[in-house]
Structures are given as structure tokens and as C-alpha cells.
Amino acid sequence: MRNLASLLIALTVCVLVMSTGSLQATVDTLPDHDSVASQRPQVLTHNAQLLLDNAAPDEFLNLIVILTNQPAGPISRQVFARINSSTMQLTNDIQAITRRALPHELMSPEEERHFVPTALEAGDLETRRILSGQLDDLHRNARREIANRIAEAVADDQAELGMFIEELGGMVTSNITSMSILGVSIPAGKVEALADHHLVALIEVDIPGVPELDNHRHSLGLETGFWAAGIDGGVHDVGVLDTGVEQDHPALSSHNFLSNMGVHDDGTHGTGMAGILASTDTTFRGMAYGLDTIVVARAGTISTSMEGMDYIASTGEPENCNYSFGNGTADDTDYGPSDQFFDGVIDTYGYMVSKSTGNGGWGTTTITHPAPAYNLMASANMDDQNTITRADDVITSSSSTGPTLGGRKKPDITAPGTNSMSCHPSGGFSNIGGTSSASPHTGGGIVLLYDMGVTNVMAGKAILLNTTDAIDNNGTSTTSDDVYVNGSHWNARYGWGYLNLGAAYLHGLDYFLDEIPDAPEDADFKLYKGQMFTYEKATLVWQRHVAYNGSTYPEIVEDLSDLNLFAYREADDTLLTESTSAIDNVEQLHVEEDGVVVLKVEASGSFDPDITLEQFALATQEQFSSVNGPQFSVDFTHPGNVPPYAVFDVEIDVENTGDSAAHAVAAELSGVSIVSGSNPANLGTIAQGDTANTSWTVQASGEPGEHPITVTITSNSYAEAFTDLGESTYQVGCGPEDVNDDGVVNIDDIFAVLGLWGDCPDPCPPYCPGDITEDCTVNIDDIFAILGEWGPCE
């Protein structure tokens, strides 16, 4: 996973300040990257300053202070780079076993709907579990090392700032290390002094958090997909950032637990979320009921939730952490500090966060923070009507609506929420409902994919979004006109569509992890080829990175890299469709015909200066392959020896030796004078493995000796330029047998050899004049060579 350390850096972006009685505060957007250097350092955000202006000097404010030094980025990059080869080897081995239960042939959408997976042998299941355990250990230890090294790196700064806060009459209420942050309580009259301290990067208002409150196994396709293939969470783990979990609940007690808040639930919400993820009850079974460990931490105000997430990250355990709390409606800013924090967590530690979108109902931007975060998965709430079929499922009226304030596509996905029966702290089960319940269904999908061998959560996100069933609400608040639609469609209520884990299992290994630079132009793209049927989709996902720049403004969120997705018909290079949003980190498209398609992922413009390569995940259909594009070899046909100024023909056969069709192919000849024939010559389209032919009539040079002929093959395919060279030579003046270079091999050449008779001088080679046979001696063998080529040059 790329740049997990951005998380800490993201937090550098914010320092939250909250009045004890304050309910909901707006957050400022960060300055544009280009304008940062010209601004004076601004530690107190606008909202924090307003809060301070309205507080009495002796009134205590609950604050979160983000420190200037944020070492997470370099640490996480170093740790994950060290284990990358081992991660890839284990991932490949796990996927090789999983593929034995997946179809090996191309399937139409109709055939996919009726596919039943083959059960793996017991030995295969055991081997996969052992390999998954090794991978889980590897990632757990890496995350723990990252957390420990970050904590050690920030300890001195936090201690120094803590002592200063005490001198101001305040106290430290929490130490957060995933990003170096202190929660503090301090008199309002001392906040300006705190803001002036050299270790303080930002102070911001703390936003309060509130919880965002069986047939799912059938409607989601679990029974005929993951579970049928023995994929149930296995050795993998989840985090529950919530009100706690009642750990002795009969449906949860078989799991291992880690907690920073005891063994009970302070309410009922957290136990319900844990049940949706991991309940082992045969009737109300959780998504990943076979998982290993549940890590529990307290959620609440954003500062409390940050501290809880810090603990969860420090354990190194989870592949997904569920956060079904909302920290204020996101109608104040497109991308606030709390959103940036969660993006940083995902980018630094390499696990996913599943987030509820809120229960604000129909309207313009009613989703809650941190749902606008780019990297997490924000889930809307589907009512599955307590039926097995998906046909009657519809959005719950209270489910919050996107897009973000800046027009970005959130929610990401819709999952069952209403009519979710799950664990209750009493030991029984109850109907929870709300987008709270939708979120762990999505998070459970991430864990199941991980157990399947999708060991990168960015890829897991791409797969879940690529296999949804899209729904359109026709722009109305009523659900009576909501309809399923074919192909790709984002909707402000349903996101990219309704979670379909049956399809996610079938296409769980149909993805690519890759990376591209933003330059040069001939290297800022990657190509993938395969068969797509009508309305089949492809989905591209990458991450937003958060970084700290201590030399100017104390916080910087790196510019979002702009990646685009295109689909071309391979046969004739027609652009079928494209997805080119400049503000989202998800691109999705579908095709409207059957055929072989070339997908292109391309960087647009320049990346942030801190980003040299942008990693991405591309979810496709089955049997796609990564391709390099057209490549060419050239075979020449022409005389080897010609008299001076001779006119002769040059013919070439151009073979496309690449892995995709070449279009608008042209051949341009150089090194000789063209007498006739188009130059460049248009060769049109050359299919993979096919050959095209063209020829020219040319005139030779008048200078004796060897002369080069070069042909440049160019192709403009998939809106990219591909070039190869073919090279040959021709000889003016026969060859070495024409010793006097007069265009004729005759008696004069024999006399010339006789005049050069004897051993060549040392060193030899190089061979001396007259040594036609190149044996370092001018002798009778060279006379015989002349006789063998007697006559005019041809």
C-alpha cells in the first residue's frame, strides 16, 4: 500500500478546538497548495477563532492540537517497502488457491448470474489459511512497528508541549500518535499563547459525534459466493470504533478481543456493529463470522474518535475498521480536517475504514463528516424489505444524500441497513437499522475479499464498486420511481450502486495494482485488454495523500492526482467511453457493446511535487491482461550490393509483435533517395501477430562502401504514440571482392591482391586490404574468393 504515512501528515492539517457545550462547528478548507508559501502561518482556524472570541478568558475549552513534526510518512513507506516482496509472494500463493474455485472461461453476465462456485478441497482450505496467517502476521508486525516508531518519534515533542500547556494552566487529556496530536483542556485566555508555540501546527474546533443508527446473506449473495467457497474472514481482523462491544455475547465470545475501553458496551450501538461484522449465530450470521480478532475503541467527539483510531492502528490488527458515527453534517466544507485525518489513517496503515453516510435524509449534501474523505468507503442505507430478492430493495428515506459540498461523488455505495438484526448487549438480537448498519456490511466485504487474497484495500474498494448494481432515483425524494439501471451510474442517494457480494466474489481477483508517473507523455499511461460484454464495467481507484510541509504553512494536503479511464474498441481504435472527473479519486465506465476492449489509465497534468508515482487499483472483468501496446519488427528485402547511383527496390514486411492491435501505422524510409513510393507509407491497422507490406524504389549513393537504410514505424493507437525502428544496409561497389571499388570484380582485382600479397601487419584484426577471407593473410584463398564473385556488381 502506498504512503501509509500520509495519515499522520494529514492530521498535521488540523488541530481541533471545542467548547465543552458546543454542539457542531464548521471547519475551514485548507489553502490551495500553490498559494501556501505566500501566506503567514495561521494556527487558529476561522471557526476556532470565532469560538475563542465568544469565550470568557477563564472558560476552559477542550482542544485538539496538531504538532508540526509529523514523521509517519517516511516511517510507513520504509516499513512497507521492506515487506513488499514477501507480501506479493504470499498474495500470489493465496490467489492461486482461490482461483481453483473460480471459472476459468469467459462468461457472459447471464452465465455469471447462474454460476455456482466449486468447493475447494479441505487441504487447499487449510493451506490458504496457513498462508493467510503468515500474511496477517507480516502486516500486523509491520503496522505495529510503524505505530511504535511513530510514537517514539513524537514523544519528546508531545512531552515538551504538554509541559508548556500545564504552565498555561491547562492539562493534556489525550495523546494521539498516529498523527502527533494532543487533546487538551485550557483556559480560553491562554489559547493565543498556545497557538504561538513553535510545536503547534493547527488548532481547530472539535466536532461532536453521534451514532448513525435475516435475509442479507441471500440478498447480498453471500450464500452462493464467499461462504460457499469457504471464505469467512479467516485469520483476519476488524476494528470497531464505537460505544464498545459486549464481549461475552454468545455470538461474539468465540472471537479474540483487544480493547482500550473494557469488555462492555457503554450503549448498544457498538455491539450491533460488531455483530453485523462477526456474529457466529447461525440465524443472524455476521459478514465475516470466521474472523479472528475484534479491536474495540471508543468513538465520540472527533478528538475521542481520533484517539480511538490511534489505538486501533497501534495494534496492527485490522483489515477494516468500522466507524458508524457522524461528526457534523458536511454542508460546511468539502474536505475538512476530520476527513483528512481518516484519509491519512488509510494511507498510512493500509487498512480500510467503512463509514456510514448519516441519517439526514433527502436534501443537498446531508452526509456527515468524515464521509467526504476520499479514501474510505461511505455507505448509504438500503432497506432490503426482509426478503431474499433484491428486486424490491430500496433506499431508506432517512439515508443521507450527496454529493460533497464541492460536487464530489459521495456516497460510495449502498448496503443493507434497515431491518438489520444484530447482537444486543443483553445477549439477544435486535433490529438496529440506519446507515450505521449499512457501513459494517461494506466493511465486511473488504475483509472477505482480503481473505480471498485481495490484500490491498484500495483494490478491495475498486472491486466492490465495480460489482454493484446501479440504481437511479430520478432526482426525486420519493422512492417510488427509483429503478435499477444497466452499467455504470453514480447517484446522489445510492452512490455507485447496491453492494453485490455474489458478483464481488466472482470477480474478486479480476483487478490490477499498478502505478504511473505524470511524465513523460509516452510513459504516463498503462493499458489493459480483455473481452467486455454490453454494460460491463471497469473501475479505477487511487488515494488522496495528506502531507505536512514545515517550511511554509504548517499543514498541506497534497493535491489530488488526476487519473482518467478510457475504453477503446481494439479492432478499430474507436473510443467507446471515458471517465475523466478532475475532482474524484474514483473513475468508472461501462461499454454498450460486446467486444475486445483496451482500457487505458492515464495521468492528466502534473502530480503534487511530493508524488512521483501514483499507485492505483483497476477492477475489470475476467481474463483481462496488462498489455504494453503495439510493437514492431521489420524484415527488409533488397539487393545487398549495387553499383554507384543504381536504382533498386526496397521492400519491407512489418509485423506487429506487440500484445494489442496497432492502428494508423506508418513506415518512413531514410538513408536513400526515394524515386517512387509514398514516404511515409500508410499501413493502416495491423492486428496482433499480423504483418503488413510496402515498398519503395530508391537510388543508391554514389559513394563506395556500406550504407545504412532505416525505416521508422509509428502508430497512433489508443491516443498514444508507439514507435520502433528497422535497420538494414546495402553495399555500393560489390563488396570486399571488388578490391579497387570500380563496380566490377575482374582481373584488376586479382592484380590488386597480388600487389598486397603476404601476412597482414600486427595487430590483426583489423584485417588488411586484400584479405578478403579475413584470415590475416593475403594469399591464394583471396584469389579464389574473387573468382567466385566474378562480374559486374548486382
Side-chain angles (χ1 to χ4, degrees):
M1 182 124 203
R2 237 185 136 273
N3 235 353
L4 303 180
S6 298
L7 147 58
L8 302 187
I9 302 182
L11 291 186
T12 318
V13 188
C14 60
V15 173
L16 305 169
V17 185
M18 169 186 168
S19 170
T20 304
S22 173
L23 281 181
Q24 195 168 304
T26 58
V27 282
D28 293 340
T29 56
L30 293 177
D32 292 337
H33 192 286
D34 292 340
S35 64
V36 165
S38 63
Q39 297 183 14
R40 63 178 292 274
Q42 178 182 331
V43 176
L44 285 171
T45 67
H46 174 70
N47 290 294
Q49 187 66 60
L50 286 177
L51 180 66
L52 183 62
D53 291 344
N54 288 284
D58 58 352
E59 180 182 351
F60 273 73
L61 302 178
N62 296 325
L63 317 174
I64 292 180
V65 180
I66 297 178
L67 281 69
T68 54
N69 180 32
Q70 299 291 342
I75 292 173
S76 67
R77 286 192 294 271
Q78 183 185 77
V79 172
F80 278 106
R82 191 180 69 236
I83 68 169
N84 182 63
S85 60
S86 297
T87 294
M88 294 308 299
Q89 183 61 58
L90 287 167
T91 296
N92 290 338
D93 292 345
I94 293 167
Q95 290 186 359
I97 295 173
T98 298
R99 288 186 192 280
R100 295 170 192 167
L102 292 170
H104 299 290
E105 65 282 344
L106 197 66
M107 297 175 66
S108 69
E110 181 64 23
E111 290 171 327
E112 290 179 1
R113 282 190 285 272
H114 294 93
F115 173 76
V116 177
T118 303
L120 288 171
E121 298 290 338
D124 287 337
L125 290 172
E126 180 60 24
T127 300
R128 186 172 66 185
R129 187 177 182 86
I130 291 171
L131 292 169
S132 294
Q134 294 172 0
L135 182 66
D136 197 47
D137 290 343
L138 185 69
H139 286 181
R140 179 191 307 110
N141 292 335
R143 291 174 183 139
R144 286 179 176 175
E145 179 184 345
I146 291 168
N148 291 336
R149 288 176 58 181
I150 293 170
E152 182 179 355
V154 303
D156 289 346
D157 285 353
Q158 290 196 357
E160 179 184 339
L161 188 58
M163 292 178 61
F164 179 71
I165 290 167
E166 290 180 2
E167 292 173 2
L168 295 176
M171 62 180 294
V172 174
T173 58
S174 61
N175 292 77
I176 301 164
T177 58
S178 289
M179 278 200 67
S180 187
I181 299 175
L182 294 179
V184 306
S185 180
I186 189 171
K190 301 297 184 180
V191 172
E192 290 286 358
L194 175 62
D196 287 338
H197 194 280
H198 70 96
L199 290 177
V200 175
L202 190 71
I203 299 175
E204 172 60 293
V205 178
D206 194 357
I207 305 171
V210 293
E212 292 178 333
L213 289 173
D214 200 63
N215 286 308
H216 298 170
R217 64 174 67 186
H218 300 287
S219 61
L220 288 176
L222 286 165
E223 292 280 12
T224 57
F226 288 104
W227 293 356
I231 297 169
D232 58 12
V235 301
H236 302 295
D237 318 288
V238 295
V240 177
L241 184 57
D242 214 286
T243 60
V245 174
E246 200 68 26
Q247 296 180 21
D248 63 356
H249 191 288
L252 297 173
S253 59
S254 61
H255 298 297
N256 295 314
F257 281 90
L258 295 172
S259 176
N260 72 346
M261 57 177 298
V263 299
H264 298 295
D265 192 340
D266 291 344
T268 62
H269 193 261
T271 301
M273 300 305 100
I276 293 172
L277 284 164
S279 168
T280 59
D281 184 82
T282 55
T283 301
F284 304 117
R285 180 170 286 176
M287 301 285 293
Y289 62 90
L291 62 76
D292 181 17
T293 300
I294 301 174
V295 186
V296 184
R298 188 184 308 280
T301 66
I302 192 61
S303 58
T304 301
S305 296
M306 284 180 178
E307 187 174 24
M309 186 64 84
D310 195 40
Y311 167 74
I312 290 172
S314 73
T315 69
E317 295 286 351
E319 278 64 59
N320 184 86
C321 178
N322 189 73
Y323 185 58
S324 290
F325 268 54
N327 296 98
T329 303
D331 58 359
D332 52 355
T333 181
D334 182 71
Y335 189 48
S338 62
D339 311 325
Q340 296 153 11
F341 169 81
F342 278 84
D343 274 348
V345 169
I346 295 166
D347 201 31
T348 298
Y349 287 100
Y351 58 81
M352 181 54 69
V353 174
S354 51
K355 164 71 175 81
S356 52
T357 57
N359 300 311
W362 174 256
T364 303
T365 310
T366 64
I367 59 175
T368 59
H369 292 293
Y374 289 78
N375 300 339
L376 54 69
M377 294 198 71
S379 299
N381 174 19
M382 182 73 88
D383 183 351
D384 78 348
Q385 307 292 324
N386 202 27
T387 61
I388 292 175
T389 179
R390 293 167 65 89
D392 60 352
D393 297 2
V394 69
I395 199 79
T396 303
S397 60
S398 61
S399 185
S400 289
T401 309
T404 70
L405 200 62
R408 293 187 292 110
K409 296 180 180 69
K410 293 285 179 171
D412 293 293
I413 198 167
T414 302
T418 300
N419 289 319
S420 293
M421 293 295 292
S422 188
C423 301
H424 188 276
S426 65
F429 297 86
S430 63
N431 190 329
I432 304 175
T435 56
S436 284
S437 301
S439 176
H441 283 94
T442 303
I446 290 289
V447 177
L448 292 172
L449 283 170
Y450 214 99
D451 195 24
M452 186 181 189
V454 183
T455 60
N456 180 291
V457 296
M458 183 169 59
K461 178 178 179 179
I463 293 163
L464 291 184
L465 297 184
N466 200 53
T467 52
T468 59
D469 295 320
I471 305 175
D472 186 20
N473 77 327
N474 283 300
T476 67
S477 61
T478 179
T479 60
S480 61
D481 58 352
D482 293 4
V483 292
Y484 283 94
V485 295
N486 292 319
S488 171
H489 178 71
W490 182 86
N491 180 263
R493 298 209 77 175
Y494 291 93
W496 292 105
Y498 187 15
L499 178 68
N500 186 336
L501 291 178
Y505 167 75
L506 191 60
H507 292 288
L509 301 185
D510 298 329
Y511 73 94
F512 298 89
L513 275 179
D514 219 329
E515 58 186 16
I516 51 176
D518 59 359
E521 180 62 27
D522 61 356
D524 67 346
F525 68 94
K526 291 292 177 70
L527 301 177
Y528 308 87
K529 187 177 81 169
Q531 169 78 39
M532 293 182 75
F533 293 97
T534 303
Y535 295 122
E536 285 192 328
K537 297 182 288 189
T539 302
L540 172 67
V541 173
W542 66 105
Q543 290 192 345
R544 180 78 186 257
H545 308 288
V546 180
Y548 168 70
N549 184 342
S551 63
T552 55
Y553 196 82
E555 54 179 349
I556 289 202
V557 176
E558 291 171 356
D559 294 336
L560 176 68
S561 300
D562 186 8
L563 305 187
N564 294 320
L565 181 61
F566 304 87
Y568 295 86
R569 185 189 298 133
E570 188 200 18
D572 62 8
D573 202 30
T574 297
L575 176 63
L576 298 174
T577 186
E578 62 186 350
S579 179
T580 58
S581 169
I583 61 175
D584 293 294
N585 65 323
V586 174
E587 303 284 3
Q588 187 180 94
L589 54 77
H590 73 264
V591 297
E592 297 188 358
E593 63 183 38
D594 297 351
V596 177
V597 172
V598 174
L599 296 173
K600 180 173 75 169
V601 177
E602 183 175 32
S604 177
S606 299
F607 296 163
D608 186 278
D610 293 329
I611 305 298
T612 55
L613 291 171
E614 187 63 72
Q615 188 183 54
F616 62 85
L618 177 66
T620 65
Q621 302 303 311
E622 69 272 20
Q623 299 190 16
F624 260 73
S625 59
S626 175
V627 296
N628 295 314
Q631 295 178 331
F632 305 99
S633 65
V634 183
D635 288 334
F636 287 82
T637 301
H638 60 79
N641 301 297
V642 296
Y645 302 110
V647 174
F648 62 98
D649 290 335
V650 175
E651 182 179 357
I652 61 169
D653 290 311
V654 180
E655 181 182 1
N656 179 5
T657 59
D659 43 24
S660 55
H663 305 283
V665 182
E668 184 171 12
L669 190 69
S670 59
V672 288
S673 297
I674 305 295
V675 175
S676 64
S678 299
N679 196 40
N682 180 17
L683 302 182
T685 292
I686 308 177
Q688 177 184 345
D690 281 1
T691 300
N693 174 276
T694 192
S695 63
W696 299 267
T697 299
V698 302
Q699 184 174 42
S701 169
E703 293 293 325
E706 187 176 78
H707 295 272
I709 303 177
T710 301
V711 64
T712 302
I713 307 298
T714 59
S715 169
N716 186 1
S717 301
Y718 322 114
E720 301 294 341
F722 299 87
T723 303
D724 271 306
L725 295 178
E727 296 178 322
S728 185
T729 60
Y730 70 97
Q731 183 80 23
V732 172
C734 295
E737 295 81 8
D738 184 14
V739 180
N740 61 1
D741 290 327
D742 63 356
V744 181
V745 179
N746 56 20
I747 191 64
D748 294 333
D749 299 298
I750 292 178
F751 286 133
V753 165
L754 293 173
L756 298 167
W757 203 267
D759 293 337
C760 293
D762 290 331
C764 179
Y767 305 107
C768 57
D771 183 15
I772 300 168
T773 59
E774 297 184 349
D775 60 0
C776 292
T777 302
V778 180
N779 56 23
I780 192 63
D781 293 333
D782 302 300
I783 299 291
F784 286 131
I786 290 172
L787 294 173
E789 296 294 331
W790 200 266
C793 294
E794 296 180 357

